[in-house]
Amino acid sequence: MEKTLIDESASCACGTVTLSARGPVLSMLLCACLDCRKASGTAHSTITIMQEKSVAISGETKGFARTANSGATITRHFCPRCGTPLFARTSRAPEIVLIATGVFDNPDWFTPNQLIFARSHLDWDHLPEAIARHQTYRPKD
């Protein structure tokens, strides 16, 4: 499968924190776990996964760490000034950054190919019929 390459800018609502992402996107997905629903304030989060070396973050962020159902620690980072959710890191894969896709200035390239934690997906959140749905995490290849 061909990787999507991006060279994109992102920022929080007030512009205090900026992010640049340059390189291959590892995955584009939706997550309907309860934690992501609470963090996004809607029925699912929209996540772009990239290698840490492909992402540059400028400005101070605050993080909130918690233990996920998997036992891993997930730390969600946000702007301490305006509260915009920006990105997350997980102890399951410390070499990656999970970027909240909505912070990109122009995310027209984003095409989600899977929904994880479909077991807690809400019926009123209509998604494309063809999207792969996994009850928890996607099985390892």
Side-chain angles (χ1 to χ4, degrees), residues 23-36:
V25 173
L26 301 177
S27 189
M28 294 181 256
L29 59 91
L30 308 175
C31 181
C33 77
L34 182 58
D35 188 50
C36 280

Side-chain angles (χ1 to χ4, degrees), residues 35-141:
D35 188 50
C36 280
R37 289 182 5 215
K38 288 180 182 261
S40 69
T42 189
H44 66 265
S45 61
T46 305
I47 303 167
T48 299
I49 300 176
M50 297 188 72
Q51 292 179 338
E52 182 179 38
K53 66 183 180 183
S54 298
V55 180
I57 299 156
S58 177
E60 180 186 351
T61 65
K62 291 284 186 178
F64 175 73
R66 68 180 300 274
T67 303
N69 287 338
S70 67
T73 299
I74 186 158
T75 305
R76 295 181 183 278
H77 294 264
F78 57 93
C79 173
R81 183 171 175 209
C82 67
T84 301
L86 297 162
F87 64 93
R89 295 182 190 267
T90 175
S91 63
R92 287 184 72 198
E95 71 284 357
I96 65 168
V97 179
L98 296 86
I99 305 167
T101 305
V103 301
F104 284 105
D105 296 339
N106 184 18
D108 289 341
W109 46 266
F110 185 82
T111 305
N113 61 8
Q114 61 185 298
L115 171 70
I116 60 172
F117 288 89
R119 69 182 183 197
S120 51
H121 180 249
L122 301 170
D123 290 339
W124 54 261
D125 181 33
H126 299 282
L127 301 176
E129 289 294 324
I131 197 165
R133 296 167 192 253
H134 306 287
Q135 291 304 302
T136 59
Y137 293 105
R138 182 187 76 172
K140 293 188 178 193
D141 296 331

